[in-house]
Amino acid sequence: MSKNLVIVESPAKAKTIEKFLGKDFTVKSCFGHIRDLSKGDDAIDVKGDFTPSYEVSDDKKAIVAELKKLSKEADLVWLASDEDREGEAISWHLSEVLNLTEAKTRRIVFHEITKPAILRAIESPRGIDKNLVDAQQARRVLDRLVGFELSPVLWKKVKGNLSAGRVQSVAVRLIVDREREINVFEHTSAFRVIARFNISGKQMEAELGKRFATEAEAKAFLDKCVGANFTIKNLEVKPSEKSPAPPFTTSTLQQEASRKIGYGVSTTMSIAQKLYENGLITYMRTDSVNLSELAIESAKEYITGNFGPQYSRPMRYTTKNDSAQEAHEAIRPTYFENVEIEGTPQEKRLYDLIYKRAIASQMSKAQIEKTIATISISGIPETLAATGEVLKFDGFLKVYLESTDDDQEDEGNKMLPPLIVGEILSLIQVQATEKFTRPAARYTEASLVKRLEELGIGRPSTYAPTISTIQKRGYVLKEDREGKERNFIQLTLQSNAIERDVKMEKFGSEKSKLFPSDIGMIVTDFLGKHFEQIMDFGFTASVEEEFDKIARGQLVWNKMIEKFYGPFHATVTNTSENAERQNAERTLGIDPESGKTVYVKVGRYGPYAQIGENSDDEKEKPRYASLRAGQLTETITLAEAMELFKLPRLVGTFETKDIKASIGRFGPYLVHNSKFISIPKTDDVFAIDEARAIELIEGKRISDANKLLKVFPEDEEVKILNGRWGPYIAKGKENYRLPKTQKVEELTFAMVTDIIAAEQKTGGKKAASKKAAPVKKVAAKKTAAKKTAAKKVKK
């Protein structure tokens, strides 16, 4: 046995580190947290200083047993979990569970997995930082208390199987507030005036400095322009410069990966984790924009050698955020000479983004010459302005330009043709176009992270889990939604004549935006009414600040919990006993056909419309219809609700059987010959025709035929199906794995029943297209654990 045992969180990290250490070191993975708070109500002793009770989870007992054996045989145990609070807590739990003595234990930290960094860490170990452990423990305990006490109140007062959380609930509130802001927004319009000129065969645009509130005002202005001369009145040239953005923090990486390459927050963090574990980037959970002196010098050397000394501008960025956690560097490549890496396409794209951002942060500012041409109009005082830019020196723009969340009306400033003061311009046209105001944009995952960070809510380690949680629990939906059509007016002055056109545009289209569900809005209203403190942005941010104080040793963790818990528990008790049940019902009006009342409600399977009262009389049973995607009980109208009752509708016939379209728990669908076929989001359940329905039915048949690999006459319930992760056995509703080496064509019924019996006897995991996924994911992780070697650019 090796004299030294090194314990890290993941197998991938273990394999990478093991290559850097000699034969005297054995590197093993604990696979993340080895224990957590006990299940049930007795996990926290609220009367005993909130002492937590921990237990090793069943799936970690074998790992713990192995680590105990190895730690007893080793002379020294090196705890090498991540350097943040979660990592420190993992090290502490390991030392407790493995019964490690202080003399035998070394705690090492590093923010990049490179040989120099690992060897430096070995040379300068430290003890476990109990302040960081307490900060993590305080967060875990507080979140458990809030979740365990709030959730039963929601079950009693709103609906069963709901949950609430300290951070997740304010995140949902942000999305609910934004949706309501959009719903009450009133669009107003104004006319924007753009003139286009022909300058030596090139077109130049100039804009009027104000907008007209009415069509009549815009028309009056164009009338004054008929026959007018347009002259260059003034030319103003201003030098300006553009600075590079600092290297990535966790939140800015999540935002930019969303904007530039369309990755969700969780996807970004998962890929970044692999890049870190394979030694390609520094630690990916950080608030810091700082770079080490070694990194700055390395970037300078690379930039000077590849672009020239004029492109190098070493910068030492400082973190403005007072709550920046323990990580000491921004996210950057471990070696700047590794311009490209081997790996999956996703890993390559994210690495490229991280690399370019980091290298650009150490490059010179871009030098820009901005020109503003003022154009006079004969006979009237108003002037037009044409703006253009000339890039005099590209600097960091040679490598990278940061994106924004803002929708821009224009593509940006263009270069202006050569102009002379006093020059009379050749007019092509003047156009006044009706433009409408827009409400604040709905959140994307990335812009929600940005807003949470601005409010001081959450930390790098919590952004991705929070956003995943609110979607998994059905409070928030991430969707694309079609826009609506509207008309706008355009007045065009050309060849001294004015034409009026009414044109159509689509507005309000959404791509991967976050929408609140009905239950998300109902829960937000209930919590806002009865638990104002929990839903207050300032309070949630102040709790994060207290966690930071605990981490710095400035606050005792259980005293902080005690201060919070007393008033909170009293509110829970009072609300549970005295609050009225949250009414998720809304009356829309009267059904003109039956004269019965029309309601919208939220039930077990989501929002629905109802005609009539609940009754035991079969003749008086109410009618029900599910709401469509994008419809909310809060905003749906009576007319929109009545449309829902046109379903199910007869679409046509196929093979002498009716085809009907309807909406159910899982969305719109077709029914044909007692079989159900999902209707894609791109089709409208109210408009789908017979031809399209037949196309979907036949497509489903082909899909089902490809899925069915083998049947057995001995038992019709037993089939061999082809799932996402390969062939598997299906018997009724239960699914079982096939041995990897087993060929489907060689399977007999007796072999299949033996496999099923063996699986049931050993309690082996059943496998299906969904249930088998975890098995395959483990294999995928093992594959991903192979270090992606970096390609070094030849100089």
Side-chain angles (χ1 to χ4, degrees), residues 557-614:
W557 78 270
N558 48 5
K559 297 299 181 185
M560 174 258 187
I561 301 291
E562 182 181 16
K563 179 183 173 184
F564 164 84
Y565 183 72
F568 169 71
H569 181 68
T571 304
V572 168
T573 303
N574 179 60
T575 304
S576 183
E577 293 175 356
N578 301 314
E580 294 182 359
R581 185 172 177 82
Q582 185 80 3
N583 187 3
E585 179 182 303
R586 181 169 159 248
T587 303
L588 297 182
I590 303 298
D591 171 20
E593 186 176 318
S594 66
K596 295 179 179 179
T597 305
V598 181
Y599 306 93
V600 280
K601 302 180 180 182
V602 176
R604 181 181 177 187
Y605 300 120
Y608 64 93
Q610 175 180 323
I611 298 177
E613 308 295 337
N614 294 325

Side-chain angles (χ1 to χ4, degrees), residues 244-261:
F248 284 129
T249 62
T250 300
S251 67
T252 54
L253 174 63
Q254 291 168 343
Q255 293 164 46
E256 194 74 337
S258 173
R259 290 187 293 240
K260 281 193 180 294
I261 47 183

Side-chain angles (χ1 to χ4, degrees), residues 229-247:
N229 289 326
F230 295 82
T231 308
I232 299 294
K233 180 180 179 181
N234 184 50
L235 289 172
E236 184 179 4
V237 179
K238 293 181 178 179
S240 64
E241 57 186 20
K242 189 184 291 288
S243 298

Side-chain angles (χ1 to χ4, degrees), residues 196-199 201-205 415 417 428:
R196 296 177 179 87
F197 302 96
N198 183 357
I199 312 290
K202 294 182 178 180
Q203 185 171 294
M204 181 183 79
E205 290 188 355
M415 289 182 62
I428 300 173

Side-chain angles (χ1 to χ4, degrees), residues 192 194 205 207 407-413:
R192 181 190 185 201
I194 300 286
E205 290 188 355
E207 183 173 354
D407 297 324
Q408 301 294 330
E409 283 188 348
D410 298 320
E411 295 179 1
N413 290 319

